[in-house]
Amino acid sequence: MKLLSMLLAGLTVGYSISVMALREPLLYNDFGFGASAILDGVVVLAIAAAVSAVVLARSGGRATLWIAVAALLVIVFESLGMASGLLGDWAAALSVGVLLGASAILTASHRGAQAVLALGILAAARVGAELGTLLTSSSGPQFAWEVVGPEDAVVPQRAAMAVALAVLAAIFLVAGYRTSSVATSQASTRTLAVGVALPLVAGGFGWWTTEYRDSSLVWFLALAGLTVAALVAAWLLPKRDGSLILVLFASWAGGVGTLDVIDKSYASLGFTVLLLAAGGLIAYRFPQIYLGLLALLVVAAANLAQTFLGDLPASLALWAVPLVAGYVVVCALPTAPTSLAIGMTVPFTMPLTVTVYLVSSGAPMPWAGDDILGGSQPNDTALAVGGLVVLSVCAAGVWLLRRR
């Protein structure tokens, strides 16, 4: 019951990230330096997740369950268009962030619960947008209600999916944790500072690359800055908890966030999720984090070779990365619940890295990849080499963290 509730909570978070307008700025006034581009919905989500996780951990988690249920109710209201405009954008970002933070606390240090929450978020965030497209383009039965008034922007099929996930998650969370006590977790001021600062720094680098979009040098400097930020954040977290940040940074940079399935069909979407889950299941039984990082390096090296040797089989990029990413992420667990809440937002607040490998293979990029890269696209070979360097640095960082 607890594992199922965590899976549903993770799917709700991931699906919300993929279909809500969380890339929209949440400030109208740019204050003269583009602050609205820095403070978007994903950044607010990440900060809300960190703050709620730390506060709930310090309070002993007594109200964690009901805060998670309240966040799910807000997601339902926002999905149905009951809060429009900027108010709705803030409500979406804050509620999904609070749900992630509360869910992380509810997992305590249970490795299985943490694994299904993490894989649920990654899977739903990966396929949610495509699933929504399939739902809205389907010629099958349509939902009965019509959206009217200020809620005109709501897509009924997508709203129905979000509401169904949120309601089921609320029911199973109450059933699974109503009589359970949440173990008190240590959360330091340093942990809170990392959780707040990391997404803001990432947003700043993202704004920098869009402001100077004609400079490839700026793009690579921003990539280097993000890598340094991830290393510093990982080191400031207690024990080996920062490994999750580096693993997610490396695996998402490897392409799991940009993979475009061969055809947008239910079968291909399901197969992508199946590979992610299969990698996680293998890691749950046979965790070898260095083996997973080595596999990511092999995929990155293959992408580099592709710039010299021509096209490689599409299956290498399309299917290897989800399997390896699922494996390496679960290998980094368990971790402190607060560190889980901080780490799981890395793929969404640091998307600059997702273009590193698949740009060279011609795969399409999400989140307006042209804006991320800028008007002057870096050389394919330089991108692939940069990706290898980032992965190597992250792997070395994981080794150092797990040795201390």
Side-chain angles (χ1 to χ4, degrees), residues 150-239:
E151 305 87 4
D152 283 336
V154 175
V155 179
Q157 290 84 351
R158 290 184 179 179
M161 179 66 71
V163 169
L165 286 174
V167 170
L168 287 173
I171 292 172
F172 281 95
L173 278 172
V174 173
Y177 288 92
R178 183 170 52 87
T179 59
S180 301
S181 59
V182 180
T184 303
S185 175
Q186 296 296 323
S188 64
T189 303
R190 177 186 295 183
T191 302
L192 179 61
V194 169
V196 173
L198 186 59
L200 288 174
V201 169
F205 280 119
W207 164 80
W208 190 36
T209 56
T210 56
E211 284 293 300
Y212 300 94
R213 49 184 292 125
D214 293 329
S215 173
S216 297
L217 176 61
V218 168
W219 193 90
F220 281 112
L221 288 175
L223 176 61
L226 284 177
T227 306
V228 171
L231 289 170
V232 172
W235 189 261
L236 289 176
L237 293 180
K239 298 181 180 178

Side-chain angles (χ1 to χ4, degrees), residues 105-116:
I105 295 299
L106 289 173
T107 65
S109 296
H110 190 280
R111 186 161 178 254
Q114 290 192 355
V116 297

Side-chain angles (χ1 to χ4, degrees), residues 17 26 41 65 137 145 159 178 237 283 313 354 356 359 393:
I17 288 173
L26 294 183
L65 170 62
S137 63
W145 76 80
R178 183 170 52 87
L237 293 180
V354 301
V356 170
V359 166
V393 169

Side-chain angles (χ1 to χ4, degrees), residues 28 71 106 150 159 189 203 244 277 283 339 347 379 394:
Y28 284 139
L106 289 173
T189 303
L244 184 63
S339 300
N379 177 270
C394 287

Side-chain angles (χ1 to χ4, degrees), residues 328-348:
V328 75
V329 168
V330 174
C331 283
L333 301 173
T335 185
T338 48
S339 300
L340 178 66
I342 293 171
M344 286 312 304
T345 61
V346 163
F348 316 111

Side-chain angles (χ1 to χ4, degrees), residues 3 64 67 108 156 281 322 402:
L3 291 181
T64 302
I67 289 175
L281 182 61
R402 298 176 81 84

Side-chain angles (χ1 to χ4, degrees), residues 36 42 45 118 208 220 227 247 267 341 366:
S36 61
V42 177
L45 183 157
W208 190 36
F220 281 112
T227 306
V247 161

